[in-house]
Amino acid sequence: MAPSPTGPLHIGTARTSLYNYLTARHGGGTFVLRIEDTDVARSTTEFERDIIEGLHWLGISWDEGPQAAGGDDIGPYGPYRQSQRLDRYAAAAERLLAGGNAYRCYCTPEELDAVRREQEADHEAPRYNGRCRSLSDDERAAFEAEGRQAAIRFVVPPETVVWDDLVRGDVEFDNALLGDFVIVRADGSPLYNFTVVVDDAEMYISHVIRGEDHISNTPKQIALYRALGYELPRFGHIPLILNPDRTKMSKRKTQTGVDEYRAQGYLPEALVNFLAFLGWSPGTEEELFSLRELEERFDLDKVHKGGAVFDKDRLDYLNGVYIRSLTDEQLALALRPYLPDAAVDETVLRLVPLVKERLVRLSDVGELVGFLFADDAEVASWYESEELVPRKGEVVDAASALRAVRDELTRLTDADWAADLLETRCREVAERLGFKAGDLFKPIRVAVTGRSVSPPLFGSMELLGRERSLARMDDALGKLATVGVGG
RNA sequence: GCCCCCAUCGUCUAGAGGCCUAGGACGCCACCCUUUCAAGGUGGAGAUCAGGGGUUCGAAUCCCCUUGGGGGCACCA
């Protein structure tokens, strides 16, 4: 896998990495991570860190490559950052030049542009016209005298290239359609199509698995492999992840940062399971897979050719499944970062059963149990007094009901303040007053939690504690009084 | 404009000539359970397998064309 540290870890990169990782693990191979940082202007070690940490977070590990951002490499064919391999590219370029497989090109961007425009006008494919391909020594000297810097272009042999793609089968491309492409810029820096070939070959990469958007780079790279005398790897082009409108997934239309999903409380297990199925399935109706199980079952020849839309609903569903599969202790730990620092561990563990079945993302916990950590006045500000009124009741009913409940519960001691007893007492009150239990519970719920939708009421009250629960009922009574009916 | 790739419910997918009156899952809709919301359970709507031609006794599965969609055509990766 060879990500470019020019941005945070992208969902697409994560998926490609996963497929690479699974292919390597499934086949007992070696998984290599290489950082493609030749674009010095856009590459940062901060992004490198985000990528490496994101992959680790997903559970993806590699046998060769940098193990930490800015850290040392592991593996026999390093260095594994392209910025540290410049001498190799220079040597390869020299070999190409010496063998007549490449030449210096003195064309300026303006000249190139003019040619391109002309070709477009003639409805031709835009490509380099080969002007500098066979310059005489005099012509070369003349350009040099002008002070022009030369880029290096690769001589593309005009032949049809065929490869047996790991996911698509035979793919054919006519390189005669290609112009000679630049492999080294005028400033001496090497370009992608050239560096990957040198690196993949010198790192003995056997399987190149990448997105379908690279399919048209492959014939160029194969030509380079041949010119350089390298042995060809197998290529596999996996389908793209799509926006809901079926265009190539983009930040604009879909959330693409792995760090963002992580921050929102998606579990790596859910993301991995979800990503694996974007373009692959085991061929059965099973759909819950751990990384380990995927390592065992994943196979490139079950990978689809068509793109797959990123379906957020499905990710959400899977995340819920994985959250529910956690033990209470594990979930309490995972929830910690999403709860106020003031929340003690014991409280967190006790609140887990109340929220476990209600969480789509870990970050949802804040909304669910916010009433526990907000002060009474704030909770009272969350609702209008009308919300205290039971479905088919009057404001007076709400007031008298709440008062009855408060009076009843006041008699309980702190020690008795537990969910089951609270429920028993409230049901008794409901019966005495002739309320349906649900109708009575509504005003209590709103008073105590500030919302008409909350975790189970009595468990919530137990956690909140006697004093605060009673105080909030008093606050509610006060709010009803101001509408003019309480008292 | 040129080149290449792809095509099963809205979405992810099962399906490699007869097992398909096309299966599962998400989402959606009902109902059940239920203190709200979830979770769970049951059921339902939802794809004439993009369309048209072939091949075959037989096609979602093979071939061709059309249409639609996507990707690529840089001194980006």
Side-chain angles (χ1 to χ4, degrees):
Chain A
M1 187 59 203
S4 196
T6 53
L9 180 58
H10 190 280
I11 280 286
T13 308
R15 200 280 230 99
T16 304
S17 299
L18 178 64
Y19 279 26
N20 271 281
Y21 168 84
L22 293 175
T23 302
R25 288 287 175 267
H26 183 77
T30 302
F31 182 43
V32 181
L33 179 77
R34 181 177 68 232
I35 303 293
E36 312 236 315
D37 57 353
T38 41
D39 188 341
V40 199
R42 294 195 297 147
S43 300
T44 69
T45 71
E46 194 177 307
F47 288 139
E48 183 181 316
R49 170 170 298 107
D50 188 85
I51 290 166
I52 289 179
E53 288 183 357
L55 291 174
H56 278 318
W57 176 70
L58 287 167
I60 295 173
S61 55
W62 43 98
D63 309 297
E64 294 179 23
Q67 301 296 311
D72 292 338
D73 291 326
I74 289 181
Y77 307 114
Y80 291 89
R81 285 184 190 81
Q82 292 192 323
S83 57
Q84 295 161 207
R85 302 176 62 82
L86 266 20
D87 53 332
R88 292 155 206 265
Y89 310 132
E94 221 35 68
R95 275 205 285 141
L96 254 17
L97 245 16
N101 293 307
Y103 56 90
R104 294 185 200 283
C105 168
Y106 296 88
C107 296
T108 64
E110 295 72 36
E111 291 167 344
L112 260 17
D113 240 33
V115 173
R116 200 178 347 256
R117 263 196 298 275
E118 215 170 286
Q119 290 167 330
E120 273 166 21
D122 293 345
H123 302 297
E124 284 172 35
R127 54 169 155 166
Y128 183 60
N129 62 5
R131 189 186 73 161
C132 299
R133 194 166 184 158
S134 42
L135 254 29
S136 67
D137 289 347
D138 288 350
E139 291 169 315
R140 220 186 316 272
F143 281 134
E144 302 265 351
E146 277 180 50
R148 291 199 188 194
Q149 296 288 82
I152 301 176
R153 281 185 189 274
F154 174 65
V155 179
V156 180
E159 58 192 14
T160 296
V161 174
V162 184
W163 75 93
D164 181 18
D165 196 277
L166 261 359
V167 345
R168 278 150 215 279
D170 280 350
V171 181
E172 212 180 285
F173 187 86
D174 184 6
N175 271 3
L177 266 14
L178 253 33
D180 295 341
F181 57 90
V182 175
I183 55 174
V184 179
R185 292 186 183 93
D187 70 3
S189 58
L191 258 9
Y192 166 77
N193 276 122
F194 177 52
T195 57
V196 253
V197 170
V198 173
D199 289 340
D200 283 346
E202 298 194 357
M203 291 178 178
Y204 298 98
I205 301 299
S206 58
H207 298 247
V208 175
I209 298 156
R210 61 202 351 180
E212 173 183 22
D213 47 346
H214 282 288
I215 210 158
S216 54
N217 285 324
T218 305
K220 298 181 189 175
Q221 294 174 198
I222 288 177
L224 239 14
Y225 271 95
R226 289 183 181 151
L228 255 4
Y230 290 136
E231 198 179 321
L232 281 173
R234 297 295 307 272
F235 292 97
H237 292 89
I238 64 180
L240 262 19
I241 303 181
L242 274 24
N243 293 311
D245 64 5
R246 303 206 76 89
T247 53
K248 183 178 170 183
M249 189 197 207
S250 65
K251 194 175 173 177
R252 202 80 190 117
K253 297 172 178 170
T254 308
Q255 189 177 95
T256 58
V258 170
D259 55 338
E260 297 171 279
Y261 287 94
R262 182 179 180 177
Q264 287 161 198
Y266 284 91
L267 301 182
E269 293 81 0
L271 213 45
V272 162
N273 196 151
F274 173 72
L275 255 20
F277 273 73
L278 251 30
W280 171 86
S281 95
T284 64
E285 285 179 358
E286 304 160 275
E287 33 204 20
L288 258 26
F289 284 84
S290 68
L291 227 211
R292 292 287 159 271
E293 290 166 329
L294 287 170
E295 287 172 26
E296 203 160 303
R297 305 283 293 280
F298 185 84
D299 201 323
L300 272 181
D301 58 43
K302 299 230 72 162
V303 171
H304 302 167
K305 299 177 183 124
V309 171
F310 187 96
D311 181 9
K312 181 83 162 7
D313 283 338
R314 194 176 179 81
L315 206 213
D316 284 348
Y317 160 76
L318 280 173
N319 204 234
V321 169
Y322 280 95
I323 285 178
R324 275 172 255 129
S325 76
L326 260 24
T327 63
D328 287 1
E329 289 72 19
Q330 290 171 323
L331 184 51
L333 199 65
L335 250 19
R336 215 32 281 209
Y338 300 93
L339 263 5
D341 293 339
V344 294
D345 288 347
E346 191 241 0
T347 308
V348 177
L349 190 56
R350 289 215 294 158
L351 108 211
V352 162
L354 261 35
V355 300
K356 198 177 201 171
E357 288 170 354
R358 279 158 255 266
L359 293 173
V360 171
R361 301 165 214 85
L362 297 176
S363 60
D364 294 338
V365 74
E367 172 71 15
L368 245 26
V369 299
F371 70 92
L372 276 179
F373 306 104
D375 62 44
D376 299 346
E378 193 189 340
V379 169
S381 76
W382 288 350
Y383 62 92
E384 300 299 324
S385 45
E386 296 81 64
E387 292 174 63
L388 290 161
V389 180
R391 195 164 293 277
K392 273 177 248 165
E394 303 290 327
V395 175
V396 267
D397 299 328
S400 60
L402 256 182
R403 197 161 25 244
V405 170
R406 191 252 308 191
D407 292 346
E408 177 66 33
L409 298 184
T410 305
R411 297 202 200 107
L412 291 178
T413 63
D414 275 332
D416 286 335
W417 198 263
D420 49 353
L421 191 55
L422 288 167
E423 178 169 359
T424 307
R425 289 295 144 81
C426 286
R427 285 187 187 281
E428 284 167 7
V429 173
E431 194 164 338
R432 183 157 18 100
L433 265 40
F435 269 81
K436 283 182 67 178
D439 289 339
L440 179 70
F441 296 169
K442 182 181 178 190
I444 309 176
R445 182 187 309 282
V446 173
V448 172
T449 68
R451 332 224 99 126
S452 48
V453 171
S454 80
L457 178 57
F458 303 106
S460 298
M461 287 170 77
E462 176 184 321
L463 265 179
L464 226 207
R466 178 177 184 276
E467 194 186 339
R468 294 169 79 197
S469 300
L470 290 173
R472 287 182 188 185
M473 284 188 247
D474 283 332
D475 290 344
L477 252 8
K479 284 188 82 154
L480 284 170
T482 59
V483 227
V485 213

